[in-house]
Amino acid sequence: MTATVSNYHARMQRVLDYIDRHLDDDLDLEAVSRVAAFSKFHFHRQFVATFGLSLHRYVQLARMKRASRRLAWNDAESVTDIAMDAGYEAPDAFARAFRQRFGQSPSSFRRSPDWAPWIAALGPLDNARNKLMQIIFTRDDVTIRDVPPMPVAMIEHRGDRATLGTTIERFKTWCKARGLSPETGRPSLMVFRSERCPANPADYSMDLCVGTDQPVETNDQGMRAGVIPGGRCAVLRYPGNTNDLEPAALFLYRDWLPDSGEEMRDFPIYCQRRLSLAPDASTPEVFLELFLPLI
Protein backbone atom coordinates (compact mmCIF):
# COMPACT_ATOMS: atom_id res chain seq x y z
CA MET A 1 0.00 0.00 0.00
CA THR A 2 1.40 3.41 -0.94
CA ALA A 3 1.78 6.20 1.60
CA THR A 4 -0.94 8.18 -0.19
CA VAL A 5 -3.48 5.34 0.00
CA SER A 6 -2.52 4.64 3.61
CA ASN A 7 -3.11 8.28 4.49
CA TYR A 8 -6.47 8.24 2.72
CA HIS A 9 -7.55 5.13 4.63
CA ALA A 10 -6.39 6.68 7.92
CA ARG A 11 -8.56 9.72 7.28
CA MET A 12 -11.56 7.55 6.49
CA GLN A 13 -10.93 5.41 9.57
CA ARG A 14 -10.87 8.63 11.59
CA VAL A 15 -14.35 9.37 10.25
CA LEU A 16 -15.73 5.99 11.37
CA ASP A 17 -14.14 6.35 14.82
CA TYR A 18 -15.64 9.85 15.14
CA ILE A 19 -19.11 8.58 14.19
CA ASP A 20 -18.86 5.79 16.79
CA ARG A 21 -18.02 8.32 19.52
CA HIS A 22 -20.62 10.92 18.52
CA LEU A 23 -23.78 8.99 17.66
CA ASP A 24 -25.77 11.40 19.85
CA ASP A 25 -24.54 14.43 17.90
CA ASP A 26 -25.65 16.00 14.63
CA LEU A 27 -23.58 13.97 12.19
CA ASP A 28 -24.27 16.02 9.08
CA LEU A 29 -22.13 16.06 5.97
CA GLU A 30 -20.33 19.28 6.84
CA ALA A 31 -19.35 18.18 10.35
CA VAL A 32 -18.11 14.75 9.31
CA SER A 33 -16.22 15.98 6.24
CA ARG A 34 -14.24 18.34 8.50
CA VAL A 35 -13.08 15.34 10.56
CA ALA A 36 -11.64 13.76 7.43
CA ALA A 37 -10.28 17.10 6.19
CA PHE A 38 -12.10 16.61 2.88
CA SER A 39 -14.23 19.08 0.96
CA LYS A 40 -17.89 18.60 1.83
CA PHE A 41 -18.69 18.98 -1.88
CA HIS A 42 -16.85 15.75 -2.68
CA PHE A 43 -16.98 13.91 0.63
CA HIS A 44 -20.36 12.24 0.04
CA ARG A 45 -19.13 10.60 -3.17
CA GLN A 46 -15.86 9.63 -1.49
CA PHE A 47 -17.73 8.01 1.41
CA VAL A 48 -20.03 6.02 -0.89
CA ALA A 49 -17.13 4.95 -3.10
CA THR A 50 -15.10 3.77 -0.08
CA PHE A 51 -17.79 2.08 2.01
CA GLY A 52 -20.56 1.17 -0.42
CA LEU A 53 -23.31 3.11 1.36
CA SER A 54 -24.14 6.74 2.08
CA LEU A 55 -23.08 8.61 5.20
CA HIS A 56 -26.74 9.00 6.20
CA ARG A 57 -27.44 5.27 5.94
CA TYR A 58 -24.21 4.39 7.74
CA VAL A 59 -25.18 6.65 10.67
CA GLN A 60 -28.73 5.24 10.71
CA LEU A 61 -27.41 1.66 10.87
CA ALA A 62 -24.87 2.52 13.57
CA ARG A 63 -27.57 4.12 15.71
CA MET A 64 -29.92 1.19 15.14
CA LYS A 65 -27.18 -1.27 16.11
CA ARG A 66 -26.57 0.62 19.35
CA ALA A 67 -30.32 0.82 20.03
CA SER A 68 -30.79 -2.92 19.49
CA ARG A 69 -27.93 -3.71 21.87
CA ARG A 70 -29.49 -1.52 24.54
CA LEU A 71 -32.85 -3.22 24.06
CA ALA A 72 -31.33 -6.68 24.39
CA TRP A 73 -28.98 -5.82 27.25
CA ASN A 74 -30.62 -3.23 29.48
CA ASP A 75 -34.21 -3.80 30.55
CA ALA A 76 -34.10 -0.70 32.76
CA GLU A 77 -33.97 1.69 29.81
CA SER A 78 -37.30 2.70 28.32
CA VAL A 79 -38.00 2.29 24.63
CA THR A 80 -38.74 6.02 24.51
CA ASP A 81 -35.26 6.94 25.77
CA ILE A 82 -33.63 4.51 23.33
CA ALA A 83 -35.72 5.92 20.47
CA MET A 84 -34.72 9.51 21.28
CA ASP A 85 -31.04 8.58 21.46
CA ALA A 86 -31.35 6.87 18.08
CA GLY A 87 -32.48 10.18 16.55
CA TYR A 88 -36.25 9.64 16.48
CA GLU A 89 -38.63 12.26 17.81
CA ALA A 90 -41.32 9.75 18.82
CA PRO A 91 -41.36 6.09 19.92
CA ASP A 92 -43.86 5.10 17.21
CA ALA A 93 -41.55 6.37 14.43
CA PHE A 94 -38.69 4.41 15.98
CA ALA A 95 -40.88 1.30 16.29
CA ARG A 96 -41.86 1.46 12.61
CA ALA A 97 -38.26 1.87 11.48
CA PHE A 98 -37.07 -0.88 13.83
CA ARG A 99 -39.71 -3.34 12.62
CA GLN A 100 -39.00 -2.50 8.98
CA ARG A 101 -35.28 -3.14 9.45
CA PHE A 102 -35.26 -6.10 11.86
CA GLY A 103 -38.69 -7.71 11.39
CA GLN A 104 -39.66 -7.27 15.09
CA SER A 105 -41.05 -4.50 17.23
CA PRO A 106 -38.64 -3.09 19.83
CA SER A 107 -40.59 -4.71 22.67
CA SER A 108 -40.67 -8.08 20.92
CA PHE A 109 -36.94 -7.87 20.21
CA ARG A 110 -36.30 -7.06 23.86
CA ARG A 111 -38.24 -10.15 24.98
CA SER A 112 -36.84 -12.58 22.41
CA PRO A 113 -34.37 -11.28 19.80
CA ASP A 114 -34.47 -12.92 16.38
CA TRP A 115 -30.83 -12.66 15.36
CA ALA A 116 -31.14 -13.82 11.73
CA PRO A 117 -32.76 -10.63 10.33
CA TRP A 118 -30.62 -8.56 12.71
CA ILE A 119 -27.41 -9.94 11.20
CA ALA A 120 -28.75 -9.52 7.65
CA ALA A 121 -29.90 -5.94 8.24
CA LEU A 122 -26.58 -4.87 9.71
CA GLY A 123 -24.50 -6.64 7.06
CA PRO A 124 -23.86 -3.41 5.09
CA LEU A 125 -22.51 -1.77 8.26
CA ASP A 126 -20.10 -4.64 8.95
CA ASN A 127 -19.03 -4.75 5.30
CA ALA A 128 -18.33 -1.02 5.31
CA ARG A 129 -16.08 -1.28 8.34
CA ASN A 130 -14.27 -4.30 6.88
CA LYS A 131 -13.25 -2.34 3.78
CA LEU A 132 -10.52 -0.51 5.72
CA MET A 133 -9.27 -3.54 7.62
CA GLN A 134 -5.67 -4.34 6.75
CA ILE A 135 -5.27 -7.83 8.18
CA ILE A 136 -1.69 -8.94 8.81
CA PHE A 137 -1.47 -12.68 9.44
CA THR A 138 1.43 -14.41 11.22
CA ARG A 139 2.35 -18.03 11.86
CA ASP A 140 1.01 -17.66 15.40
CA ASP A 141 -2.49 -17.10 13.96
CA VAL A 142 -2.55 -20.65 12.56
CA THR A 143 -3.39 -23.67 14.71
CA ILE A 144 -3.38 -27.34 13.71
CA ARG A 145 -6.45 -29.27 14.82
CA ASP A 146 -7.81 -32.77 14.52
CA VAL A 147 -11.23 -32.05 13.08
CA PRO A 148 -14.05 -34.62 13.36
CA PRO A 149 -16.03 -35.43 10.20
CA MET A 150 -19.17 -33.33 9.82
CA PRO A 151 -22.35 -34.53 8.08
CA VAL A 152 -23.84 -31.70 6.04
CA ALA A 153 -26.62 -30.78 3.67
CA MET A 154 -25.02 -29.25 0.60
CA ILE A 155 -25.65 -27.66 -2.75
CA GLU A 156 -23.05 -27.43 -5.51
CA HIS A 157 -22.47 -24.29 -7.53
CA ARG A 158 -20.77 -24.88 -10.86
CA GLY A 159 -20.37 -22.05 -13.37
CA ASP A 160 -19.92 -18.29 -13.55
CA ARG A 161 -19.55 -16.67 -10.13
CA ALA A 162 -21.94 -13.96 -11.29
CA THR A 163 -24.79 -16.49 -10.88
CA LEU A 164 -23.74 -17.55 -7.37
CA GLY A 165 -26.43 -15.35 -5.78
CA THR A 166 -29.18 -17.57 -7.19
CA THR A 167 -27.57 -20.69 -5.69
CA ILE A 168 -27.16 -18.94 -2.33
CA GLU A 169 -30.85 -17.98 -2.27
CA ARG A 170 -31.90 -21.59 -3.00
CA PHE A 171 -29.60 -22.75 -0.22
CA LYS A 172 -30.95 -20.21 2.28
CA THR A 173 -34.58 -20.99 1.41
CA TRP A 174 -34.03 -24.72 1.91
CA CYS A 175 -32.20 -24.20 5.23
CA LYS A 176 -34.79 -21.79 6.60
CA ALA A 177 -37.67 -24.13 5.78
CA ARG A 178 -36.01 -26.87 7.85
CA GLY A 179 -34.82 -24.76 10.77
CA LEU A 180 -31.19 -25.12 9.70
CA SER A 181 -30.42 -21.45 9.21
CA PRO A 182 -26.78 -20.72 10.09
CA GLU A 183 -28.04 -17.79 12.20
CA THR A 184 -29.55 -20.33 14.62
CA GLY A 185 -26.06 -21.55 15.49
CA ARG A 186 -25.66 -24.19 12.79
CA PRO A 187 -22.20 -24.17 11.19
CA SER A 188 -22.30 -22.89 7.62
CA LEU A 189 -19.48 -23.94 5.31
CA MET A 190 -18.13 -22.99 1.90
CA VAL A 191 -15.87 -25.49 0.11
CA PHE A 192 -13.75 -23.68 -2.48
CA ARG A 193 -13.12 -26.06 -5.38
CA SER A 194 -11.67 -23.46 -7.74
CA GLU A 195 -9.93 -20.10 -7.66
CA ARG A 196 -12.03 -17.10 -6.69
CA CYS A 197 -11.62 -15.67 -10.20
CA PRO A 198 -10.57 -18.43 -12.64
CA ALA A 199 -9.34 -17.48 -16.11
CA ASN A 200 -12.51 -19.00 -17.53
CA PRO A 201 -15.48 -17.78 -15.42
CA ALA A 202 -17.38 -20.97 -16.27
CA ASP A 203 -14.79 -22.95 -14.28
CA TYR A 204 -15.80 -21.36 -10.95
CA SER A 205 -16.81 -24.07 -8.47
CA MET A 206 -17.82 -24.18 -4.81
CA ASP A 207 -20.13 -26.04 -2.41
CA LEU A 208 -22.46 -24.42 0.13
CA CYS A 209 -23.06 -26.59 3.20
CA VAL A 210 -24.80 -26.51 6.55
CA GLY A 211 -24.04 -28.92 9.36
CA THR A 212 -26.89 -31.28 10.21
CA ASP A 213 -27.50 -34.78 11.50
CA GLN A 214 -30.96 -34.90 9.91
CA PRO A 215 -31.58 -37.13 6.86
CA VAL A 216 -31.19 -35.20 3.62
CA GLU A 217 -32.83 -36.39 0.43
CA THR A 218 -31.66 -35.22 -2.97
CA ASN A 219 -34.28 -32.80 -4.29
CA ASP A 220 -35.05 -30.55 -7.23
CA GLN A 221 -33.42 -27.58 -5.49
CA GLY A 222 -30.08 -29.33 -5.82
CA MET A 223 -29.62 -30.15 -2.13
CA ARG A 224 -28.09 -33.48 -1.12
CA ALA A 225 -26.35 -35.12 1.82
CA GLY A 226 -22.57 -34.88 2.14
CA VAL A 227 -19.72 -35.08 4.63
CA ILE A 228 -16.86 -32.71 5.37
CA PRO A 229 -14.09 -35.23 6.08
CA GLY A 230 -12.29 -35.21 9.40
CA GLY A 231 -8.55 -35.12 9.93
CA ARG A 232 -5.72 -32.72 10.58
CA CYS A 233 -6.28 -29.15 9.40
CA ALA A 234 -4.41 -25.89 9.57
CA VAL A 235 -6.99 -23.41 10.88
CA LEU A 236 -6.82 -19.65 10.46
CA ARG A 237 -9.44 -17.52 12.19
CA TYR A 238 -10.49 -14.37 10.36
CA PRO A 239 -11.17 -11.39 12.65
CA GLY A 240 -14.40 -10.20 11.09
CA ASN A 241 -17.37 -11.10 8.93
CA THR A 242 -16.46 -10.91 5.25
CA ASN A 243 -17.02 -12.72 1.98
CA ASP A 244 -13.50 -11.95 0.75
CA LEU A 245 -11.22 -14.60 2.21
CA GLU A 246 -8.67 -14.36 -0.58
CA PRO A 247 -6.00 -12.66 1.63
CA ALA A 248 -6.34 -15.37 4.29
CA ALA A 249 -6.21 -18.19 1.73
CA LEU A 250 -3.15 -16.67 0.06
CA PHE A 251 -1.39 -16.45 3.41
CA LEU A 252 -2.03 -20.15 4.12
CA TYR A 253 -0.96 -21.34 0.66
CA ARG A 254 1.85 -18.92 -0.10
CA ASP A 255 3.38 -18.07 3.30
CA TRP A 256 2.42 -20.57 5.99
CA LEU A 257 2.43 -23.90 4.09
CA PRO A 258 5.92 -23.75 2.46
CA ASP A 259 7.52 -22.92 5.81
CA SER A 260 5.50 -25.40 7.88
CA GLY A 261 6.86 -28.71 6.60
CA GLU A 262 3.25 -29.88 6.19
CA GLU A 263 1.61 -31.30 3.08
CA MET A 264 -1.93 -30.74 1.87
CA ARG A 265 -4.52 -33.48 1.83
CA ASP A 266 -6.60 -34.17 -1.27
CA PHE A 267 -9.55 -32.03 -0.17
CA PRO A 268 -10.10 -28.34 -0.96
CA ILE A 269 -9.66 -25.47 1.44
CA TYR A 270 -12.94 -24.54 3.12
CA CYS A 271 -14.42 -21.87 5.37
CA GLN A 272 -16.72 -22.31 8.35
CA ARG A 273 -18.96 -19.48 9.48
CA ARG A 274 -20.52 -19.67 12.93
CA LEU A 275 -22.64 -17.54 15.19
CA SER A 276 -21.42 -17.12 18.75
CA LEU A 277 -23.33 -15.48 21.58
CA ALA A 278 -21.17 -15.31 24.69
CA PRO A 279 -23.02 -15.29 28.06
CA ASP A 280 -21.94 -11.70 28.76
CA ALA A 281 -22.57 -10.41 25.21
CA SER A 282 -25.66 -8.42 24.25
CA THR A 283 -25.48 -9.26 20.56
CA PRO A 284 -24.05 -12.20 18.58
CA GLU A 285 -20.67 -12.34 16.90
CA VAL A 286 -20.16 -13.95 13.51
CA PHE A 287 -16.73 -15.47 13.13
CA LEU A 288 -14.97 -17.21 10.26
CA GLU A 289 -12.36 -19.94 10.23
CA LEU A 290 -10.45 -21.12 7.17
CA PHE A 291 -9.47 -24.81 7.11
CA LEU A 292 -6.58 -26.19 5.04
CA PRO A 293 -6.71 -30.05 5.20
CA LEU A 294 -3.32 -31.64 5.90
CA ILE A 295 -1.87 -35.14 5.55
Side-chain angles (χ1 to χ4, degrees):
M1 180 187 297
T2 66
T4 302
V5 173
S6 180
N7 177 262
Y8 183 90
H9 282 193
R11 291 161 78 180
M12 283 299 193
Q13 184 63 58
R14 193 161 67 235
V15 167
L16 299 191
D17 293 342
Y18 179 85
I19 292 172
D20 286 344
R21 295 193 306 269
H22 297 84
L23 285 175
D24 293 327
D25 297 347
D26 185 8
L27 293 168
D28 60 19
L29 188 62
E30 184 168 357
V32 178
S33 63
R34 283 199 303 267
V35 173
F38 286 129
S39 163
K40 71 174 182 179
F41 298 104
H42 300 292
F43 179 69
H44 175 70
R45 289 189 179 89
Q46 288 173 292
F47 193 94
V48 172
T50 302
F51 300 113
L53 71 171
S54 69
L55 173 65
H56 176 69
R57 189 176 179 215
Y58 183 93
V59 171
Q60 277 189 323
L61 288 173
R63 285 173 172 161
M64 274 295 191
K65 184 172 185 177
R66 182 182 66 168
S68 63
R69 282 178 165 168
R70 290 166 67 179
L71 284 167
W73 185 52
N74 194 343
D75 290 338
E77 286 191 283
S78 70
V79 174
T80 298
D81 288 342
I82 293 173
M84 299 293 284
D85 288 344
Y88 292 86
E89 296 182 356
D92 57 342
F94 171 69
R96 284 195 301 271
F98 194 95
R99 181 186 290 277
Q100 183 179 25
R101 196 167 299 280
F102 299 123
Q104 287 183 281
S105 68
S107 57
S108 173
F109 184 87
R110 168 168 274 174
R111 288 193 302 271
S112 180
D114 183 357
W115 294 117
W118 185 89
I119 291 170
L122 294 175
L125 183 68
D126 294 334
N127 290 337
R129 297 194 67 88
N130 285 339
K131 290 185 184 297
L132 293 185
M133 290 178 66
Q134 299 299 315
I135 307 299
I136 305 298
F137 298 108
T138 70
R139 289 186 55 82
D140 292 338
D141 295 322
V142 181
T143 59
I144 296 180
R145 298 185 204 161
D146 284 313
V147 179
M150 181 188 300
V152 296
M154 62 180 291
I155 187 172
E156 299 175 347
H157 178 86
R158 304 292 184 264
D160 197 327
R161 191 166 177 268
T163 64
L164 178 60
T166 301
T167 306
I168 291 174
E169 286 306 312
R170 296 209 321 266
F171 176 72
K172 287 183 175 179
T173 299
W174 187 92
C175 290
K176 185 174 182 180
R178 289 156 181 80
L180 297 175
S181 170
E183 288 81 6
T184 62
R186 293 281 181 174
S188 172
L189 303 100
M190 296 175 286
V191 181
F192 304 107
R193 297 188 177 274
S194 73
E195 298 176 9
R196 178 180 173 87
C197 298
N200 181 0
D203 291 337
Y204 182 77
S205 177
M206 73 173 297
D207 301 336
L208 300 169
C209 312
V210 61
T212 179
D213 53 5
Q214 299 178 14
V216 180
E217 296 182 1
T218 302
N219 59 56
D220 56 6
Q221 289 180 303
M223 297 296 298
R224 63 178 181 84
V227 175
I228 303 297
R232 296 175 70 249
C233 289
V235 184
L236 176 61
R237 181 160 176 164
Y238 195 97
N241 185 15
T242 180
N243 290 322
D244 183 10
L245 289 166
E246 191 74 9
L250 282 175
F251 171 77
L252 282 174
Y253 280 127
R254 183 186 59 200
D255 302 321
W256 180 85
L257 186 64
D259 194 42
S260 68
E262 298 284 350
E263 293 186 32
M264 291 183 293
R265 211 174 344 132
D266 190 18
F267 189 79
I269 192 168
Y270 64 94
C271 167
Q272 180 170 313
R273 188 187 306 257
R274 297 198 72 141
L275 180 69
S276 172
L277 183 57
D280 58 346
S282 59
T283 53
E285 173 195 8
V286 179
F287 67 90
L288 308 174
E289 289 182 320
L290 204 59
F291 291 75
L292 181 64
L294 304 172
I295 293 175

